[in-house]
Amino acid sequence: MSSTASSSKTDDAEALRRHRILSSHLYYDVPPSKVPLIYSPSYDIAFFGIEKLHPFDSSKWGRICRFLTKEGIMDQKHVVEPVEATKDDLLVVHSESYLKSLNSSLNVSMIVEVPPVAMLPNCLVQKKVLHPFRKQVGGTILAAKLAKERGWAINVGGGFHHCSSEKGGGFCVYADISLCIHFAFVRLNISRVMIIDLDAHQGNGHEMDFSDDKRVFILDMYNPGIYPLDFEARRYIDLGVEVKSGTATDEYLTKLDHALEVAEKKFDPDFIVYNAGTDILDGDPLGRLKISPDGIASRDEKVFRFARERNIPLIMLTSGGYMKSSAKVIADSIVNLSNKSLINMKSLLTGQAL
């Protein structure tokens, strides 16, 4: 193919992507009575107990919100409910062939790492597994719009950082981070995005998707000795910080402080995507790190303060975490962010605490 023809094909693909983004209904005007906390009961995955065969707590998202309600800082009627991502929305990043592959229950079972899913009718898999994920994708994408308007937003789900345009894995079916960023480029006049990925696992999905895109800077702080061991994707990390198995809280937070200092010197973002996995928690069977619950609250506080002091809109995604205690740890961290006035959990309409 000649370079001219190749360039024309690329231009056509970008035009189609832009058209899909501009035609999407995932962005909508959120009333001031709502706070920028995004959740739907549809997030939670439950199908005959089969979901318990994976170490991920697939009811984590709902439990986070129940803890926040119990703490008295959240009322469900003030939470933002997202729209489910459609096929056209997903095609902004994913190929037609990848989305078609999800019509095979076997393929989905390999991505979510739950073998019995392969034996279920795909219509059931679509409803019980893929619909919740598509709803969370909608939440991540909408979070960017809310953050641009309010300074911050938290999607109680999302953070599927192992999924790229052509490949899912590690319980990540759709590339919500990549989708969110492409929507933000087109709809929010954003041109420079920093991904701060602090999940214990390397974020190989978004690293592959933005491998040659200088508009995106990736800070990835991860355990190099665990899944996904994607050495090709590691080449595309702009600032990689390896934290080996057994790393404890003080060492971790010191490394994070240094990483944020270096990142600021290397890149000047106008938007931050914060992937806040809690699989760094001490005792997590997959993350293998030893960070205390208070350490996770301090980590989140550091990232939010980094964004606030520089007036950079930020979205937070909850990503991985493989212990039942993760939901309470996340809720406690959100309460801490509110107490430190780094987020405002009040209705703009009433001014009252939720």
Side-chain angles (χ1 to χ4, degrees):
M1 184 184 294
S2 70
S3 59
T4 303
S6 177
S7 176
S8 176
K9 188 175 181 180
T10 301
D11 290 345
D12 288 347
E14 282 302 315
L16 181 57
R17 170 182 279 170
R18 183 178 178 83
H19 172 74
R20 284 180 169 134
I21 291 171
L22 293 174
S23 302
S24 174
H25 297 292
L26 293 179
Y27 276 8
Y28 69 89
D29 290 330
V30 174
S33 59
K34 305 280 190 179
V35 294
L37 190 79
I38 303 169
Y39 169 72
S40 166
S42 300
Y43 280 16
D44 294 336
I45 298 173
F47 51 108
F48 318 121
I50 293 175
E51 73 281 358
K52 295 177 182 177
L53 295 175
H54 192 282
F56 187 85
D57 177 11
S58 59
S59 64
K60 174 178 81 171
W61 307 292
R63 292 174 60 242
I64 293 168
C65 289
R66 287 192 290 276
F67 282 126
L68 290 173
T69 302
K70 186 177 179 181
E71 289 287 341
I73 71 163
M74 192 193 92
D75 187 322
Q76 190 63 43
K77 69 183 179 182
H78 295 289
V79 172
V80 178
E81 177 148 358
V83 177
E84 178 184 357
T86 66
K87 180 181 177 182
D88 254 14
D89 296 324
L90 298 170
L91 284 169
V92 166
V93 164
H94 293 293
S95 66
E96 188 91 40
S97 60
Y98 175 72
L99 295 182
K100 188 176 180 180
S101 76
L102 301 179
N103 292 331
S104 160
S105 296
L106 175 61
N107 288 337
V108 176
S109 75
M110 291 189 288
I111 293 171
V112 300
E113 301 173 336
V114 182
V117 168
M119 298 182 287
L120 298 175
N122 191 257
C123 60
L124 193 59
V125 172
Q126 293 287 334
K127 180 179 180 181
K128 294 293 188 178
V129 183
L130 299 183
H131 165 68
F133 282 135
R134 289 193 293 266
K135 197 81 166 176
Q136 293 189 45
V137 169
T140 298
I141 292 170
L142 178 60
K145 179 178 184 293
L146 272 169
K148 187 73 186 292
E149 295 167 352
R150 313 252 190 120
W152 65 276
I154 297 173
N155 183 12
V156 175
F160 307 130
H161 65 158
H162 296 308
C163 188
S164 65
S165 62
E166 294 288 350
K167 185 180 180 183
F171 209 70
C172 300
V173 182
Y174 301 113
D176 66 322
I177 293 174
S178 302
L179 284 159
C180 168
I181 291 171
H182 280 292
F183 269 72
F185 283 153
V186 173
R187 298 279 290 265
L188 301 179
N189 195 33
I190 282 168
S191 59
R192 301 179 311 280
V193 177
M194 180 180 290
I195 299 172
I196 300 178
D197 195 335
L198 302 186
D199 187 277
H201 299 85
Q202 175 198 349
N204 57 322
H206 56 71
E207 288 156 9
M208 293 302 296
D209 283 343
F210 295 110
S211 59
D212 59 352
D213 194 330
K214 298 304 179 186
R215 298 174 297 175
V216 179
F217 181 95
I218 299 172
L219 189 175
D220 196 347
M221 193 162 162
Y222 64 96
N223 185 339
I226 61 175
Y227 179 91
L229 302 173
D230 190 333
F231 297 99
E232 179 185 1
R234 288 183 192 180
R235 293 162 39 205
Y236 308 124
I237 300 172
D238 298 286
L239 179 57
V241 181
E242 295 188 353
V243 280
K244 296 179 180 179
S245 296
T247 298
T249 302
D250 288 347
E251 180 184 353
Y252 182 94
L253 293 176
T254 298
K255 286 190 171 187
L256 175 59
D257 284 336
H258 179 67
L260 291 173
E261 288 176 10
V262 173
E264 182 183 24
K265 294 173 183 176
K266 287 178 172 284
F267 194 74
D268 180 25
D270 50 19
F271 189 76
I272 292 173
V273 176
Y274 172 37
N275 200 47
T278 47
D279 47 6
I280 66 169
L281 193 60
D282 188 10
D284 190 285
L286 301 187
R288 301 182 193 170
L289 301 175
K290 293 186 176 296
I291 313 307
S292 68
D294 285 346
I296 286 179
S298 295
R299 175 198 70 170
D300 295 348
E301 184 180 329
K302 287 175 184 293
V303 176
F304 271 78
R305 199 173 296 283
F306 176 85
R308 168 67 70 85
E309 290 174 351
R310 293 154 185 82
N311 200 30
I312 305 168
L314 171 148
I315 67 168
M316 170 177 160
L317 312 172
T318 58
S319 200
Y322 305 93
M323 296 197 301
K324 285 287 184 183
S325 58
S326 278
K328 182 67 162 60
V329 170
I330 293 166
D332 287 346
S333 180
I334 292 172
V335 170
N336 178 64
L337 292 172
S338 179
N339 290 340
K340 298 290 178 63
S341 298
L342 290 168
I343 61 175
N344 182 11
M345 292 290 286
K346 293 179 181 179
S347 164
L348 295 182
L349 193 61
T350 66
Q352 297 299 308
L354 303 182

